[in-house]
Amino acid sequence: MNEFELIQRYFTRHAANAVLGVGDDAAIVRPTPHHDLHISTDMLVQGQHFFSDVSPYALGHKTLAVNLSDMAAMGATPCWAVLSLALPQLDKTWISEFSEGFFKLAEEHGLSVIGGDTTCGPLTLSVTIFGETPPGQALRRDAAQAGDDIWVSGSLGLAALAIQQRLHSNPSIPDSVIAECTQKLEYPTPRVALGKNLLGLAHSAIDISDGLMADLGHILARSNVGADIWFENIPTHPWLANNRRAFAEIITAGGDDYELCFTAPYSAREKIAKLAEDLCCSLTRVGRIEHKKNIRLTDKFEQPITLSNSGYTHF
């Protein structure tokens, strides 16, 4: 099987929302008139972003999920993606399962794969994704305002705990907890519906990929504000919550959560509570945006908590 047979067999699907999809020198798309176009790229490298023995189906899911999460963070509707793969060998079983996981998630979000590339090399997966928002309505990092509530979706720290357990096994952690955390690591849920429903409701947003403290820090820097974060309010797995202080960095800075962090005015609290109910997605208020240009993490006695690590870094 050569490169072109691989593309035709495993990665060529009907692109209902494209003028021309896979098979030519370039794809052709026709964006919705008078909408803003969003473009984002993410790369996953074996050994840096995922373990070598992860199932190819799960890896296909996650490869797209992390890109959908970027669209969710801006309230964008995902439309198209291009997928580029560096593969160490042409393993038909592996490729078949990977593409199945990838396309299942794509179909759930009405997203079309319209092109990409393949080559031989260390296992590397790269997606460029395109989405749309009504003009001027996108959620951005530079619009947080002093007095805003800070919210997060879902639970934090689970994926990071799974990674730590894999690297440094801790026999005190129950197997059932590790199983739940591994599921969260391998099958993150991109909060696309939440992001779209936050348009006009939230002021700013970001997806939590490198840890809450690091990613919230990007909002603060772009918006020229600070924040108080209430450690006890940060939602996490019940087992982690019962051991919260021992795993403070896992919860606040572990990364790989792919939940949303967003800021919204006090007046939006009731609507956000209703949104959480409608979407069956937990939304938790974890802090407040402040005028001062620093970020404080405090315990229930309002005492500062110091972290040695503020988030995941790629280098």
Side-chain angles (χ1 to χ4, degrees):
M1 182 171 58
N2 62 34
E3 174 188 3
F4 302 103
E5 291 169 335
L6 179 153
I7 293 170
Q8 178 61 37
R9 180 170 179 178
Y10 297 108
F11 297 104
T12 301
R13 307 284 177 97
H14 176 60
N17 59 350
V19 177
L20 181 64
V22 175
D24 222 298
D25 288 302
I28 303 173
V29 298
R30 188 167 293 143
T32 305
H34 310 299
H35 276 58
D36 293 335
L37 186 65
H38 295 247
I39 306 168
S40 179
T41 297
D42 258 310
M43 183 185 300
L44 300 182
V45 179
Q46 181 175 290
Q48 182 75 16
H49 301 102
F50 58 90
F51 294 109
S52 62
D53 60 354
V54 65
S55 85
Y57 184 93
L59 188 55
H61 172 99
K62 187 167 184 176
T63 298
L64 181 56
V66 302
N67 286 270
L68 288 169
S69 187
D70 286 327
M71 294 293 104
M74 303 196 78
T77 298
C79 301
W80 310 284
V82 295
L83 169 65
S84 294
L85 306 172
L87 303 170
Q89 59 187 352
L90 289 182
D91 181 332
K92 293 180 182 179
T93 300
W94 190 97
I95 295 168
S96 176
E97 292 179 11
F98 173 88
S99 64
E100 184 180 352
F102 189 96
F103 279 105
K104 184 177 186 299
L105 187 60
E107 290 164 5
E108 289 175 7
H109 291 276
L111 178 138
S112 293
V113 176
I114 57 172
D117 194 18
T118 59
T119 190
C120 182
L123 186 56
T124 305
L125 316 162
S126 180
V127 172
T128 298
I129 193 168
F130 303 81
E132 298 177 331
T133 54
Q137 292 190 29
L139 300 171
R140 296 169 43 154
R141 300 180 183 182
D142 60 0
Q145 300 178 21
D148 277 0
D149 294 323
I150 302 170
W151 298 80
V152 296
S153 66
S155 297
L156 307 187
L158 282 71
L161 182 64
I163 294 171
Q164 178 172 288
Q165 182 70 359
R166 179 68 182 268
L167 297 175
H168 310 286
S169 181
N170 182 342
S172 70
I173 305 175
D175 290 343
S176 60
V177 173
I178 296 304
E180 289 182 63
C181 292
T182 300
Q183 180 74 11
K184 176 72 171 177
L185 171 66
E186 296 183 353
Y187 291 94
T189 301
R191 303 295 186 181
V192 175
L194 172 60
K196 290 164 65 174
N197 279 277
L198 287 174
L199 293 179
L201 189 62
H203 284 155
S204 65
I206 193 170
D207 79 320
I208 305 172
S209 56
D210 296 330
L212 173 62
M213 299 299 284
D215 289 315
L216 175 61
H218 297 314
I219 289 180
L220 304 183
R222 292 294 300 274
S223 298
N224 199 32
V225 291
D228 282 338
I229 300 296
W230 311 315
F231 180 59
E232 305 294 333
N233 285 37
I234 299 174
T236 189
H237 187 282
W239 189 89
L240 278 170
N242 289 333
N243 299 274
R244 187 177 287 272
R245 290 306 292 263
F247 292 91
E249 290 188 6
I250 288 287
I251 296 168
T252 61
D256 250 330
D257 297 300
Y258 296 103
E259 297 290 349
L260 294 190
C261 171
F262 61 94
T263 76
Y266 174 90
S267 59
R269 287 185 185 179
E270 288 188 12
K271 291 182 178 178
I272 291 172
K274 180 64 165 54
L275 183 58
E277 182 180 341
D278 292 344
L279 297 178
C280 297
C281 172
S282 64
L283 300 175
T284 307
R285 190 161 49 89
V286 299
R288 182 175 53 248
I289 296 294
E290 301 287 354
H291 284 291
K292 60 182 183 299
K293 307 300 189 296
N294 66 322
I295 182 169
R296 284 201 329 146
L297 178 69
T298 57
D299 63 19
K300 60 184 176 181
F301 302 109
E302 298 188 5
Q303 295 302 305
I305 297 173
T306 302
L307 303 174
S308 60
N309 173 33
S310 62
Y312 176 80
T313 58
H314 292 265
F315 292 95

